[in-house]
Amino acid sequence: MARKTRRTFTKEFKLQMVQLHENGKRRVDLCKEYELTPSSLDKWIMQYQRKQSFKESDNLTGDEKKIREQQKIIKQQEMEIDILKQVALIMGRKSKL
């Protein structure tokens, strides 16, 4: 079974697809003609209608941005805790010697 390679699209291409759709070209026709998945095209249309941007970070709500920020902080703190645990183990071994 041949594996499909992941295609990437420029923001210009995405914008062109959104504009074609807004000008009346059917979604089904766009997907067939340009070999797109319906979910990709729908995502581009939604992103452009929301914020006129295709960047994932530009299309996050305020709450989603806060959640991502908190997840970064939690990950950093977990790493710091792991380092402190390792230091405690090393110090415990040294004090026994």
Side-chain angles (χ1 to χ4, degrees):
M1 186 189 309
R3 192 175 171 136
K4 280 189 174 182
T5 58
R6 186 179 178 109
R7 298 184 335 181
T8 56
F9 302 96
T10 64
K11 64 180 178 181
E12 291 81 13
F13 177 81
K14 293 176 184 180
L15 178 60
Q16 185 180 18
M17 293 301 107
V18 170
Q19 288 174 338
L20 285 170
H21 180 265
E22 287 177 347
N23 289 329
K25 185 125 181 175
R26 291 179 353 153
R27 185 175 147 267
V28 174
D29 296 334
L30 285 170
C31 290
K32 274 186 187 176
E33 188 175 337
Y34 294 97
E35 298 179 3
L36 302 171
T37 61
S39 60
S40 293
L41 182 58
D42 291 342
K43 181 180 175 183
W44 299 341
I45 293 167
M46 184 183 67
Q47 286 176 334
Y48 191 75
Q49 288 173 345
R50 267 194 197 166
K51 303 271 182 161
Q52 283 71 44
S53 174
F54 299 109
K55 291 182 181 177
E56 193 67 37
S57 61
D58 290 344
N59 285 291
L60 296 176
T61 64
D63 288 341
E64 290 170 329
K65 287 180 183 177
K66 286 179 186 176
I67 289 170
R68 284 203 176 168
E69 209 173 283
Q70 293 299 316
Q71 287 172 333
K72 279 184 182 179
I73 292 169
I74 289 169
K75 192 172 186 175
Q76 177 68 31
Q77 289 175 341
E78 287 173 344
M79 288 172 43
E80 290 171 0
I81 289 169
D82 287 342
I83 291 169
L84 290 171
K85 285 179 182 178
Q86 290 174 2
V87 168
L89 284 172
I90 292 169
M91 297 302 285
R93 286 184 199 145
K94 285 185 178 180
S95 67
K96 290 180 183 179
L97 296 176

